[in-house]
Amino acid sequence: MTEDNNSSTTEFILIGFTDQPHLKTLLFIVFFAIYLVTMVGNLGLVALIYMERRLHTPMYIFLGNLALMDSCCSCAITPKMLENFFSADKRISFLECMAQFYFLCLAETADCFLLAAMAYDRYVAICSPLQYHIKMSKKLCIQMTTGTYIIANLHSIVQVGLLLGLTFCGSNQINHFFCDNLPLYKLSCVDPYINNLIRLLLAGLIQIVTITVLVVSYFYILFTIFTMKSKGGRSKALSTCSSHFLSVSMFYGSLLFVYVQPHSVNEGDKDKAGAVFYTLIIPLLNPFIYSLRNKEVINAIKRIMNNSFFLK
């Protein structure tokens, strides 16, 4: 809300998806169902990995943290989005907006590094299987996970700081369903050029580092797989990487679609479609991508269900 041209904005209005009442009800039901399945799937996967000692390996520790960050991403966005479907004013306070963006940035940055860590883990497992427990020790796994959260927190703090350095004194309507930096830069009444440049440099550095790890890891993985003499060995190696490769492709594809395309600030509905995919659909799909084709996860679920049955 703004009092005059010199007053600063204390709250924003999230435009959301539509003003059509019948579409609001339908979208609420769809996104509420997505939210429930996302939380049950991701938190269930975290609990499964925590309880099942056989899954206390680097790959599943990274996977558990990925599921935790997907839950964080969904929690940061979906509750407010669901509330706004039936809210008269769709207001969000300035501090709530900054908090929402902070946790979204935290989750997305952590996802980048966790996916890269998982790629490196697969590289070691396939290319150096005899040295796996040496190269991917528990200590290194903890260091990589801790480093991921430190970098993700620092990046989020800087990105929020760039937004706090701006002045919002004009329109307070955000043409989105959550607080994101690009729509907020558009509302700034000062030139956000320097802020946007720093944002791009930091985001670009993170993408370059993590994508480089992914590309190099998969180059050696594929080279090793296609030089294997055993067809069974090639099939097994490919199956261990297929879920991760699918998740990486969807995640980076949607991020590049939203943030790298020219003039993405002005694309409106096109950005919303891409944002729905990487903030809501990918967190929904990830637990199933990593579980349905993973024999160790399926066997762990069966063991827990059998133990629960016998306890009764």
Short mmCIF file of all heavy atoms in Angstrom, two decimals, residues 1 14 30 47 63 75 83 85 87 99 126 134 139 160 169 183 197 230 240 249 262 291:
data_model
loop_
_atom_site.label_atom_id
_atom_site.label_comp_id
_atom_site.label_asym_id
_atom_site.label_seq_id
_atom_site.Cartn_x
_atom_site.Cartn_y
_atom_site.Cartn_z
N MET A 1 0.85 -1.18 0.00
CA MET A 1 0.00 0.00 0.00
C MET A 1 0.88 1.23 0.00
O MET A 1 1.86 1.31 0.74
CB MET A 1 -0.89 0.01 1.24
CG MET A 1 -1.86 1.20 1.28
SD MET A 1 -2.88 1.15 2.78
CE MET A 1 -3.77 -0.37 2.50
N LEU A 14 -0.45 -9.72 -4.64
CA LEU A 14 -0.09 -10.79 -5.57
C LEU A 14 -1.26 -11.02 -6.53
O LEU A 14 -2.33 -11.46 -6.12
CB LEU A 14 0.23 -12.07 -4.79
CG LEU A 14 1.49 -12.04 -3.93
CD1 LEU A 14 1.55 -13.26 -3.01
CD2 LEU A 14 2.75 -11.97 -4.80
N VAL A 30 -6.87 -28.24 -7.28
CA VAL A 30 -5.71 -28.86 -7.93
C VAL A 30 -4.43 -28.59 -7.14
O VAL A 30 -3.66 -29.51 -6.83
CB VAL A 30 -5.57 -28.33 -9.38
CG1 VAL A 30 -4.23 -28.76 -9.98
CG2 VAL A 30 -6.71 -28.82 -10.24
N ALA A 47 11.73 -39.23 6.08
CA ALA A 47 11.54 -40.13 7.23
C ALA A 47 12.05 -41.53 6.93
O ALA A 47 12.68 -42.18 7.78
CB ALA A 47 10.07 -40.17 7.62
N LEU A 63 19.77 -37.26 -1.34
CA LEU A 63 18.37 -37.35 -1.77
C LEU A 63 17.43 -36.88 -0.67
O LEU A 63 16.45 -36.18 -0.93
CB LEU A 63 18.05 -38.79 -2.18
CG LEU A 63 16.60 -39.08 -2.60
CD1 LEU A 63 16.18 -38.18 -3.75
CD2 LEU A 63 16.44 -40.55 -2.98
N CYS A 75 6.37 -25.22 0.86
CA CYS A 75 5.81 -24.53 2.04
C CYS A 75 5.95 -23.02 1.93
O CYS A 75 5.12 -22.28 2.45
CB CYS A 75 6.53 -25.01 3.30
SG CYS A 75 5.97 -26.61 3.89
N GLU A 83 -4.37 -19.37 -0.03
CA GLU A 83 -5.15 -18.35 0.69
C GLU A 83 -5.65 -17.26 -0.26
O GLU A 83 -6.79 -16.80 -0.16
CB GLU A 83 -4.27 -17.73 1.78
CG GLU A 83 -4.93 -16.59 2.54
CD GLU A 83 -3.96 -15.85 3.44
OE1 GLU A 83 -2.96 -16.46 3.88
OE2 GLU A 83 -4.19 -14.65 3.70
N PHE A 85 -6.47 -17.40 -3.33
CA PHE A 85 -7.53 -17.77 -4.26
C PHE A 85 -8.89 -17.23 -3.79
O PHE A 85 -9.75 -16.93 -4.61
CB PHE A 85 -7.61 -19.29 -4.42
CG PHE A 85 -6.63 -19.85 -5.42
CD1 PHE A 85 -5.69 -20.79 -5.03
CD2 PHE A 85 -6.63 -19.43 -6.74
CE1 PHE A 85 -4.78 -21.31 -5.95
CE2 PHE A 85 -5.73 -19.93 -7.66
CZ PHE A 85 -4.80 -20.88 -7.26
N SER A 87 -9.02 -14.75 -1.21
CA SER A 87 -8.80 -13.51 -0.48
C SER A 87 -9.32 -12.32 -1.29
O SER A 87 -9.17 -12.28 -2.51
CB SER A 87 -7.30 -13.32 -0.19
OG SER A 87 -7.04 -12.05 0.36
N ALA A 99 10.55 -12.77 3.26
CA ALA A 99 10.75 -14.10 3.85
C ALA A 99 10.42 -15.19 2.84
O ALA A 99 11.13 -16.20 2.72
CB ALA A 99 9.90 -14.26 5.11
N ILE A 126 30.19 -45.29 -10.39
CA ILE A 126 30.27 -46.00 -11.67
C ILE A 126 31.69 -46.04 -12.22
O ILE A 126 32.12 -47.07 -12.75
CB ILE A 126 29.32 -45.34 -12.69
CG1 ILE A 126 27.86 -45.57 -12.27
CG2 ILE A 126 29.55 -45.88 -14.11
CD1 ILE A 126 26.85 -44.83 -13.10
N ILE A 134 36.13 -44.76 -0.19
CA ILE A 134 37.24 -43.87 0.14
C ILE A 134 36.97 -42.46 -0.38
O ILE A 134 37.10 -41.46 0.34
CB ILE A 134 38.57 -44.40 -0.43
CG1 ILE A 134 38.89 -45.78 0.17
CG2 ILE A 134 39.72 -43.42 -0.18
CD1 ILE A 134 40.09 -46.45 -0.45
N LYS A 139 32.56 -38.37 5.96
CA LYS A 139 33.04 -37.03 6.28
C LYS A 139 32.87 -36.09 5.09
O LYS A 139 32.39 -34.95 5.24
CB LYS A 139 34.52 -37.09 6.67
CG LYS A 139 35.12 -35.73 7.03
CD LYS A 139 36.59 -35.87 7.41
CE LYS A 139 37.19 -34.51 7.73
NZ LYS A 139 38.64 -34.63 8.08
N VAL A 160 18.19 -11.22 -1.02
CA VAL A 160 17.20 -10.44 -0.26
C VAL A 160 17.76 -9.05 0.03
O VAL A 160 17.03 -8.04 -0.04
CB VAL A 160 16.82 -11.16 1.05
CG1 VAL A 160 15.98 -10.24 1.94
CG2 VAL A 160 16.05 -12.44 0.74
N CYS A 169 7.92 2.58 -4.48
CA CYS A 169 7.05 3.71 -4.15
C CYS A 169 5.95 3.92 -5.18
O CYS A 169 5.19 4.88 -5.08
CB CYS A 169 7.87 4.99 -3.99
SG CYS A 169 8.87 5.39 -5.43
N PRO A 183 9.93 -9.88 -10.85
CA PRO A 183 8.76 -8.99 -10.79
C PRO A 183 8.94 -7.84 -9.80
O PRO A 183 8.43 -6.74 -10.03
CB PRO A 183 7.63 -9.94 -10.32
CG PRO A 183 8.08 -11.29 -10.72
CD PRO A 183 9.56 -11.28 -10.55
N LEU A 197 22.55 -6.70 -11.98
CA LEU A 197 23.85 -7.19 -12.44
C LEU A 197 24.47 -8.12 -11.40
O LEU A 197 24.99 -9.20 -11.76
CB LEU A 197 24.78 -6.00 -12.71
CG LEU A 197 26.20 -6.35 -13.20
CD1 LEU A 197 26.14 -7.08 -14.54
CD2 LEU A 197 27.05 -5.08 -13.32
N SER A 230 29.92 -55.76 -20.62
CA SER A 230 28.70 -56.47 -20.21
C SER A 230 27.46 -55.63 -20.47
O SER A 230 27.37 -54.47 -20.02
CB SER A 230 28.79 -56.83 -18.72
OG SER A 230 27.55 -57.28 -18.24
N THR A 240 20.78 -46.63 -12.70
CA THR A 240 21.12 -45.90 -11.48
C THR A 240 21.20 -44.39 -11.71
O THR A 240 21.11 -43.61 -10.77
CB THR A 240 22.45 -46.39 -10.88
OG1 THR A 240 23.51 -46.14 -11.82
CG2 THR A 240 22.40 -47.88 -10.56
N SER A 249 17.28 -32.61 -15.66
CA SER A 249 16.78 -32.04 -16.91
C SER A 249 15.55 -31.16 -16.67
O SER A 249 15.45 -30.06 -17.20
CB SER A 249 16.43 -33.16 -17.90
OG SER A 249 17.57 -33.95 -18.18
N PRO A 262 15.31 -13.84 -22.85
CA PRO A 262 15.33 -12.38 -22.93
C PRO A 262 14.02 -11.76 -22.48
O PRO A 262 12.94 -12.27 -22.76
CB PRO A 262 15.58 -12.10 -24.42
CG PRO A 262 16.15 -13.36 -24.96
CD PRO A 262 15.54 -14.47 -24.16
N SER A 291 11.81 -42.91 -6.30
CA SER A 291 11.32 -44.04 -5.51
C SER A 291 10.81 -45.20 -6.36
O SER A 291 11.12 -46.36 -6.10
CB SER A 291 10.21 -43.59 -4.56
OG SER A 291 10.67 -42.60 -3.69
#
